[in-house]
């Protein structure tokens, strides 16, 4: 592991000039490229506004202080139609040339931050766009920000073909949790590291297994997850690539241990949860999940604490914890909690995607 | 290209180099002090063909020294810069619905320039509008019409040229519980996901429904010439709901066709030059761990650079064989060399960078080494829970001996 606290220089080479045009500067000299985000995948905020960003290509997690740029716009997030086309236009291209990789709401300003990759193939470069309460889109000038970073263990070496993509990350109780998928071995590690990052902490890697009803176990990579508290105990609610919904007590994620999630739900073929948020409504707590092909699911969490783990085959996807399908939300590709009563989603059918706040169901 | 829209006046552009006229005008007005009358404004695209790493920029020429000086001292905000000098994607004459291209504004000795945050796309039209009425100062004879033009870097003439060069496993028969494929390309690919372009047809020509993992994680190698396509683990693994619902995507004893569409675009946004089609048979599920003692090692003679040849009784994972097997000396120093795979990933050849010295070496297999269905050394992919309590070692070793000239080495 390596850590650093430096000025995040030239992540986006010219972006400072966008926001702060130096009218009297000498002929433009391009800033030297310093430590940089090679790619940008999942992003998430800690309660204090620190942005954690996953960089798959650099196999690194960045903790970024947005500084004044967290506060630059009107509070909240206004709806923006054709958000992908507008972001593409700001980046000088069309919607087919960008990929929106995540959406996260700042906990204080409630502005939305959208991570984007611009361009095709190896030439694609990252950008972060802020959407404020007036619907104003602003590129985040990342080279002016301070950050710390930590490299993932077993980062790919330059000579080989391996790539460990970061599929989800979260911050809870002073630790950053990271799930990912390898393009080679069927790895099933859930890795966590204390924050602030220190050189003394290499993080903890836990091998995750899934047990079926015939006592057969398989390695089971986690695709999406969310930290969760049940009766004052910290859990992680996670979805495997092989589809079951599981829970882990965080206290038992001991270094080097093999760990088996307790299955609390199963989904049918061809579907995976993409994003999860939790919220309160009417005195009850719910988990809201967006999925690849089965829309939005609303799961009351009061059953999580008491639900017996699934120990016999379920023949339908309703065999686990009960949930209801939210038919009013369709085509959701990104989801986060906007405030106490609303979610914020990017949804639609390409080439037009819209940023919309939706009342929590 | 000429176009007129309201008070906007368009000028032809598409020029790649500064206009000599602008330079001449600037030279003339430079000696005229603050009272210099304004000349015509020119918007040009500046691109240095000799230095393609320096991005193209858009320049407004014809501003007087007083106007340039006022811009230097004006401390304009982003919105003001963009109202004065606005670049938008496309050649739409009234692009009010889209935000302007983001980039940096610069006042040089002779002009105002805009450099986009990301280089302009070749072949794409950008509309440029400069509004002289928003200049901080007003000089005699300065036009007030908005000057607009459309600029474009020439498109790079490309033809479809990228092809699928290989799909692994290379064997004609795949196990029913196959976990992943590697698809290799002749050039870097774009952003598309394999799910949209790869399909499997059964013997009657019907497409196999949802065979692959339905998520868009980044399964490319770093240079985007190899994509790893995972079969849906929920269908491959036994006794999970998707497996019980519709079974494994592949059935033993049957023949299928793998098809890769030309619609999959490469990094130049070009379709593939040719579709890929390959017939394969499916055999029984492989539920057996890798057994290292069943490998045959053919060790070369000392003082040669002949390869160490390791033969496996079944194919191992094509991707992992390139990095999860290595050769070390007995004091754990890695031997430098090159790896070659043969015989549909059943033969691994290691050619040392220098001649073999005599003595004992270790063939080192990392714990992550898998076969194409995910079985590992001493550890099948689907394992009885009771047998899965101990953490396996990080690596496994097989010792072999390099004998002197004339005597082939072998496992001791």
């Amino acid at each position: 592991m390596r850590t650093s606290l430096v000025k995040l220089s030239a992540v986006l080479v010219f972006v400072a000039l966008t926001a702060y045009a130096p009218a009297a500067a000498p002929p433009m000299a391009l800033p030297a490229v310093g430590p940089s985000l090679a790619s940008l995948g999942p992003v998430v905020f800690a309660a204090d506004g620190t942005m954690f960003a996953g960089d798959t290509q650099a196999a690194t997690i960045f903790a970024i202080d947005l500084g004044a740029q967290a506060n630059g716009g009107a509070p909240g997030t206004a709806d923006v139609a054709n958000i992908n086309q507008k972001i593409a236009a700001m980046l000088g291209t069309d919607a087919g040339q960008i990929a929106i990789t995540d959406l996260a709401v700042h906990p204080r300003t409630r502005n939305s931050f959208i991570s984007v990759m611009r361009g095709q193939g190896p030439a694609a470069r990252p950008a972060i766009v802020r959407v404020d309460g007036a619907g104003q889109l602003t590129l985040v000038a990342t080279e002016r920000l301070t950050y710390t970073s930590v490299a993932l263990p077993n980062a790919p070496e330059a000579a080989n073909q391996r790539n460990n993509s970061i599929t989800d990350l979260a911050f809870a109780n002073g630790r950053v949790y990271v799930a990912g998928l390898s393009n080679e071995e069927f790895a099933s590690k859930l890795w966590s590291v204390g924050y602030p990052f220190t050189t003394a902490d290499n993080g903890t890697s836990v091998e995750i297994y899934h047990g079926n009803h015939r006592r057969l176990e398989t390695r089971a990579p986690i695709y999406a997850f969310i930290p969760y508290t049940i009766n004052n105990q910290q859990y992680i609610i996670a979805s495997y690539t092989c589809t079951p919904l599981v829970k882990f007590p965080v206290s038992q994620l001991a270094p080097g241990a093999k760990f088996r999630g307790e299955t609390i739900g199963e989904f049918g073929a061809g579907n995976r949860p993409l994003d999860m948020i939790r919220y309160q409504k009417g005195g009850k707590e719910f988990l809201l999940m967006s999925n690849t092909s089965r829309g939005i699911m609303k799961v009351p969490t009061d059953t999580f604490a008491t639900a017996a783990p699934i120990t016999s085959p379920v023949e339908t996807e309703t065999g686990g914890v009960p949930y209801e399908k939210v038919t009013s939300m369709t085509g959701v590709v990104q989801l986060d909690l906007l405030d106490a009563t609303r979610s914020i989603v990017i949804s639609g059918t390409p080439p037009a995607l819209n940023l919309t706040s939706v009342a929590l169901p | 290209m000429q176009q007129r829209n309201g008070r906007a006046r368009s000028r032809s552009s598409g020029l790649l180099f500064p206009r000599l006229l602008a330079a001449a005008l600037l030279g003339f007005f430079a000696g005229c002090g603050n009272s210099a009358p304004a000349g015509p404004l020119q918007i040009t695209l500046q691109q240095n063909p000799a230095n393609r790493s320096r991005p193209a920029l858009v320049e407004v020429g014809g501003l007087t020294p007083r106007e340039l000086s006022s811009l230097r001292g004006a401390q304009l905000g982003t919105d003001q810069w963009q109202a004065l000098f606005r670049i938008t994607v496309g050649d739409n004459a009234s692009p009010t619905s889209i935000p302007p291209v983001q980039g940096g504004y610069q006042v040089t000795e002779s002009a105002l320039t805009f450099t986009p945050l990301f280089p302009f796309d070749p072949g794409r039209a950008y509309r440029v509008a400069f509004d002289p009425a928003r200049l901080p100062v007003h000089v005699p004879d300065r036009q007030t019409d908005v000057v607009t033009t459309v600029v474009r870097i020439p498109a790079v003439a490309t033809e479809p040229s990228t092809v699928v060069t290989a799909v692994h496993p290379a064997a004609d028969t795949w196990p029913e519980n196959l976990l992943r494929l590697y698809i290799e390309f002749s050039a870097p690919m774009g952003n598309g996901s394999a799910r949209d372009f790869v399909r499997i047809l059964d013997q009657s020509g019907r497409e196999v429904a949802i065979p692959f993992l339905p998520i868009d994680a980044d399964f490319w190698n770093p240079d985007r010439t190899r994509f790893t396509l995972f079969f849906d683990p929920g269908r491959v693994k036994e006794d999970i709901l998707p497996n019980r619902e519709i079974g494994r995507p592949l059935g033993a004893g049957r023949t299928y066709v793998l098809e890769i569409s030309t619609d999959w675009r490469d990094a130049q946004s070009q379709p593939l030059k040719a579709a890929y089609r390959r017939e394969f048979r499916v055999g029984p599920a492989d539920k057996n761990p890798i057994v290292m003692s069943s490998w045959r090692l053919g060790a070369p003679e000392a003082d040669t650079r002949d390869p160490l040849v390791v033969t496996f009784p079944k194919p191992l994972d094509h991707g992992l064989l390139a990095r999860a097997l290595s050769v070390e000396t007995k004091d754990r120093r890695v031997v430098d060399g090159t790896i070659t795979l043969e015989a549909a990933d059943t033969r691994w050849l290691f050619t040392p960078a220098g001649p073999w010295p005599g003595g004992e070496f270790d063939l080192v297999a990392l714990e992550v080494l898998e076969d194409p269905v995910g079985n590992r050394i001493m550890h099948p992919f689907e394992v009885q829970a009771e047998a899965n309590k101990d953490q396996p070692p990080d690596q496994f070793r097989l010792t072999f001996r390099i004998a002197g000239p004339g005597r082939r080495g072998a496992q001791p």
Side-chain angles (χ1 to χ4, degrees):
Chain A
M1 185 187 74
R2 60 185 160 80
T3 65
S4 52
L5 174 60
V6 294
K7 279 286 187 185
L8 183 55
S9 63
V11 167
L12 303 172
V13 174
F14 306 118
V15 85
L17 298 169
T18 302
Y20 309 98
M28 181 183 292
L30 305 184
V33 176
S36 63
L37 288 161
S39 65
L40 192 53
V43 291
V44 69
F45 284 101
D48 69 355
T50 301
M51 172 188 268
F52 294 98
D55 181 344
T56 287
Q57 284 181 32
T60 298
I61 304 298
F62 290 87
I64 300 170
D65 178 2
L66 289 172
Q69 296 187 78
N71 304 302
T77 300
D79 292 357
V80 178
N82 301 322
I83 183 81
N84 57 332
Q85 294 171 0
K86 286 173 178 160
I87 291 173
M90 293 171 75
L91 305 180
T93 192
D94 63 45
Q97 299 296 317
I98 68 164
I100 292 176
T101 55
D102 207 0
L103 162 70
V105 174
H106 190 281
R108 209 167 48 248
T109 68
R110 300 293 171 188
N111 289 168
S112 289
F113 289 78
I114 299 171
S115 53
V116 181
M117 291 296 289
R118 192 271 195 208
Q120 295 283 336
R125 294 291 175 265
I128 303 173
V129 176
R130 183 187 68 210
V131 185
D132 71 9
Q136 180 78 30
L137 274 60
T138 308
L139 271 174
V140 175
T142 44
E143 82 290 349
R144 290 175 174 261
L145 305 176
T146 55
Y147 75 96
T148 55
S149 68
V150 58
L152 300 177
N154 298 316
E157 298 158 9
N160 68 44
Q161 306 287 298
R162 185 164 60 117
N163 178 15
N164 287 334
S165 75
I166 298 164
T167 60
D168 206 357
L169 58 88
F171 177 72
N173 294 345
R175 292 190 80 77
V176 180
Y177 294 86
V178 183
L181 288 168
S182 166
N183 68 340
E184 290 184 348
E185 70 266 37
F186 201 65
S188 52
K189 308 275 191 183
L190 180 69
W191 182 76
S192 74
V193 64
Y195 180 79
F197 303 136
T198 70
T199 52
D201 186 354
N202 289 323
T204 298
S205 185
V206 182
E207 186 94 33
I208 304 294
Y209 281 80
H210 177 241
N212 74 5
H213 318 295
R214 294 189 3 227
R215 308 288 299 155
L216 279 176
E217 288 187 343
T218 46
R219 297 187 298 281
I222 289 172
Y223 180 71
F225 67 98
I226 187 170
Y228 186 78
T229 303
I230 303 172
N231 296 335
N232 295 320
Q233 187 170 4
Q234 188 74 33
Y235 284 82
I236 282 175
I237 306 291
S239 163
Y240 289 147
T241 53
C242 62
T243 212
L245 194 66
V246 294
K247 69 175 181 183
F248 300 91
V250 170
S251 61
Q252 294 178 25
L253 295 177
K258 291 182 172 182
F259 212 85
R260 197 174 301 116
E262 192 175 276
T263 303
I264 57 174
E266 286 205 56
F267 305 104
N271 184 56
R272 298 291 178 277
L274 289 172
D275 274 322
M276 303 181 189
I277 58 174
R278 58 194 174 96
Y279 65 97
Q280 306 274 341
K281 187 169 185 178
K284 289 184 69 175
E285 188 175 67
F286 299 91
L287 191 68
L288 200 63
M289 293 190 298
S290 61
N291 294 276
T292 53
S293 63
R294 299 197 182 195
I296 297 285
M297 296 176 181
K298 175 187 176 185
V299 188
T301 62
D302 54 3
T303 60
F304 286 6
T306 55
I310 297 173
T311 55
S312 59
V314 292
E315 299 305 330
T316 71
E317 61 185 81
T318 57
V321 290
Y323 68 88
E324 62 182 271
K325 290 183 179 176
V326 182
T327 54
S328 58
M329 298 170 74
T330 58
V332 173
V333 294
Q334 299 291 346
L335 165 73
D336 200 8
L337 187 66
L338 179 57
D339 54 32
T341 60
R342 294 178 300 166
S343 63
I344 186 83
V345 300
I346 296 176
S347 63
T349 306
L353 296 174
N354 304 311
L355 180 72
T356 317
S357 63
V358 181
L360 288 164
Chain B
M1 180 186 303
Q2 294 279 342
Q3 53 185 221
R4 185 172 292 275
N5 180 30
R7 70 187 179 101
R9 182 157 54 87
S10 293
R11 289 167 183 269
S12 175
S13 182
L15 298 178
L16 301 181
F17 305 104
R19 289 187 171 181
L20 292 174
L21 176 61
L25 288 169
L26 285 165
F28 171 75
F29 288 127
C32 296
N34 288 347
S35 62
L41 297 171
Q42 305 88 36
I43 297 175
T44 54
L45 180 69
Q46 302 285 322
Q47 187 186 30
N48 183 355
N51 183 5
R52 298 232 175 238
S53 63
R54 193 173 178 92
L57 53 85
V58 184
E59 180 179 285
V60 179
L63 293 164
T64 68
R66 185 167 169 236
E67 287 171 320
L68 291 169
S69 176
S70 72
L71 284 171
R72 290 191 192 99
Q75 301 293 320
L76 299 183
T78 304
D79 290 348
Q80 292 167 299
W81 280 113
Q82 291 174 349
L84 173 73
F85 188 16
R86 185 180 181 91
I87 293 86
T88 45
V89 171
D91 53 9
N92 187 346
S94 52
T96 52
S97 62
I98 59 168
V101 179
Q102 305 293 294
Y105 294 90
Q106 181 84 37
V107 184
T108 70
E109 290 297 314
S110 58
L112 171 63
T113 68
F114 170 83
T115 304
L117 171 62
F118 295 90
F120 292 126
D121 292 338
R124 186 178 303 284
Y126 296 90
R127 183 177 186 273
V128 184
F130 182 82
D131 186 354
R134 294 180 182 273
L135 284 166
V137 294
H138 297 282
V139 298
D141 301 330
R142 168 56 68 218
Q143 66 196 79
T144 56
D145 292 354
V146 176
V147 182
T148 66
T149 191
V150 173
V151 298
R152 182 184 278 127
I153 293 177
V156 178
T158 54
E159 300 259 322
S161 60
T162 304
V163 294
V164 174
T165 52
V167 172
H168 302 281
D172 295 333
T173 301
W174 296 353
E176 182 189 77
N177 54 344
L178 183 64
L179 194 56
R180 67 191 151 231
L181 301 172
Y182 295 105
I183 304 171
E184 295 179 350
F185 298 89
S186 59
M189 294 292 288
N191 294 340
S193 167
R195 279 194 299 139
D196 301 329
F197 308 112
V198 183
R199 60 181 193 156
I200 293 176
L201 307 176
D202 65 16
Q203 283 159 302
S204 58
R206 280 193 305 262
E207 184 175 349
V208 175
I210 47 176
F212 304 119
L213 183 61
I215 53 177
D216 288 330
D218 185 4
F219 290 132
W220 290 99
N221 65 344
D223 66 4
R224 295 182 79 89
T225 55
R226 191 191 76 185
F227 188 86
T228 309
L229 184 54
F230 282 91
F231 284 91
D232 185 339
R235 294 188 62 184
V236 173
K237 292 179 179 184
E238 291 186 48
D239 214 22
I240 294 175
L241 184 58
N243 174 266
R244 286 197 304 277
E245 278 183 333
I246 52 177
R248 285 181 169 142
L250 306 177
R254 298 180 188 158
T255 300
Y256 298 85
V257 170
L258 175 76
E259 277 191 352
I260 302 174
S261 163
T262 55
D263 293 340
W264 202 348
R265 302 262 165 168
D266 66 15
Q268 305 301 317
S269 298
Q270 290 288 341
L272 297 180
K273 186 178 181 183
Y276 180 89
R277 183 181 167 88
R278 177 171 151 198
E279 191 173 292
F280 62 93
R281 288 186 56 77
V282 173
D286 178 0
K287 301 180 179 181
N288 301 311
I290 299 170
V291 179
M292 219 171 162
S293 60
S294 67
W295 296 358
R296 281 191 294 116
L297 271 65
E301 293 177 359
D303 301 330
T304 73
R305 287 189 62 234
D306 293 344
L308 167 73
V309 181
V310 184
T311 306
F312 318 114
K314 65 176 179 180
L316 299 187
D317 183 82
H318 182 79
L320 287 163
L321 277 175
R323 69 175 173 87
L325 270 186
S326 60
V327 175
E328 291 186 5
T329 61
K330 275 299 183 185
D331 55 356
R332 306 263 167 134
R333 285 181 291 117
V334 176
V335 178
D336 191 20
T338 55
I339 291 167
T340 309
L341 302 178
E342 291 182 350
D345 301 326
T346 59
R347 200 154 59 226
W348 184 88
L349 293 83
F350 177 82
T351 305
W356 293 101
E360 288 191 341
F361 294 82
D362 279 345
L363 176 67
V364 181
L366 299 183
E367 180 243 349
V368 297
L369 180 64
E370 296 175 4
D371 65 18
V373 310
N375 296 312
R376 292 185 174 181
I377 295 171
M378 300 171 60
H379 203 96
F381 181 53
E382 299 193 276
V383 61
Q384 287 294 328
E386 296 73 17
N388 193 32
K389 296 208 167 63
D390 299 326
Q391 194 74 12
D394 289 342
Q395 51 186 229
F396 299 85
R397 289 172 178 269
L398 270 183
T399 297
F400 64 95
R401 183 187 303 279
I402 300 289
R407 294 168 51 198
R408 287 266 166 189
Q411 285 155 272

